[in-house]
Amino acid sequence: MLDAKLRPLIDPALNAAGRMLAQAGVTANALTFTGLALGLAGAGAIALGHIGWGLALIIANRLLDGLDGAVARARGPSDLGGYFDIVADFAFYVSVPLGFGILSAANTLPALVLVASFVLTGVSFLAFAVIAGKRGAETEAHGKKSFFYSTGLAEGAETIAVFIAMCLWPAWFGAIAYAYAGLCVLTVFQRSAMAASAFRD
């Protein structure tokens, strides 16, 4: 919901940094995998009770996630890079609630519900992208991407805001997780309605 609105604000700085990194020989895939390692380490830190470190590593993951796309734009995007980027994103997204689920038995059920909602949202997102790509649809609402990015109520910016809230108020993890899982399910219905309209014929 917020991703497309934030892009014009953050892209100029990211693109400038991406050009510098590309000129220094840094590759987008290197940033993607480094970011994934940091994100998974953040989830591990949360599972071990080091929530402050977890939050710091989550923020570092998102910074590198923005920079890998900027470097890809500077060096020239690749389909393989786009594949690695989306796999790394979803691996990171499910790892954070998993970390909270390991941290406390009270978090297990809401963590499972949130991960399940992420799976549904991811499936709807990727299915829409495949069919839109098959039909030749294009959009740059989220910047130049390797495949079609459909909009939704729950996107990357909202997910990171939720993760930050979980880290700041871990005692409220269950309530936050259930509320965001509900928003993810609404996103699936929203995207399904978009698909019904766009892919009717």
Side-chain angles (χ1 to χ4, degrees):
M1 181 169 57
L2 296 177
D3 286 14
K5 295 180 177 63
L6 291 174
R7 293 235 66 95
L9 301 177
I10 63 176
D11 275 356
L14 284 176
N15 288 337
R19 287 191 294 270
M20 292 175 60
L21 290 169
Q23 290 170 1
V26 177
T27 67
N29 286 345
L31 291 173
T32 297
F33 288 119
T34 302
L36 175 60
L38 292 174
L40 296 180
I46 290 168
L48 295 173
H50 304 297
I51 298 178
W53 279 108
L55 175 57
L57 290 166
I58 285 170
I59 293 171
N61 166 276
R62 290 298 88 190
L63 175 60
L64 291 186
D65 181 65
L67 287 172
D68 68 0
V71 169
R73 288 189 289 274
R75 294 173 65 101
S78 71
D79 289 341
L80 181 60
Y83 170 82
F84 285 145
D85 182 61
I86 197 67
V87 171
D89 277 349
F90 279 103
F92 163 70
Y93 288 148
V94 300
S95 73
V96 173
L98 177 61
F100 277 101
I102 294 171
L103 173 66
S104 170
N107 293 340
T108 301
L109 182 58
L112 286 172
V113 170
L114 184 56
V115 168
S117 74
F118 282 174
V119 171
L120 288 172
T121 307
V123 168
S124 72
F125 172 76
L126 294 173
F128 196 104
V130 169
I131 298 171
K134 179 181 175 182
R135 289 170 168 248
E138 294 182 359
T139 179
E140 292 193 11
H142 294 77
K144 190 171 179 61
K145 299 291 187 180
S146 298
F147 56 89
F148 191 96
Y149 266 55
S150 57
T151 58
L153 295 172
E155 296 181 328
E158 291 80 12
T159 304
I160 299 312
V162 164
F163 286 171
I164 291 171
M166 289 172 173
C167 290
L168 293 177
W169 300 286
W172 289 88
F173 171 81
I176 296 169
Y178 284 132
Y180 196 57
L183 188 63
C184 288
V185 172
L186 285 176
T187 301
V188 174
F189 282 111
Q190 176 198 26
R191 195 167 281 129
S192 297
M194 290 166 55
S197 175
F199 306 148
R200 189 176 301 277
D201 50 20

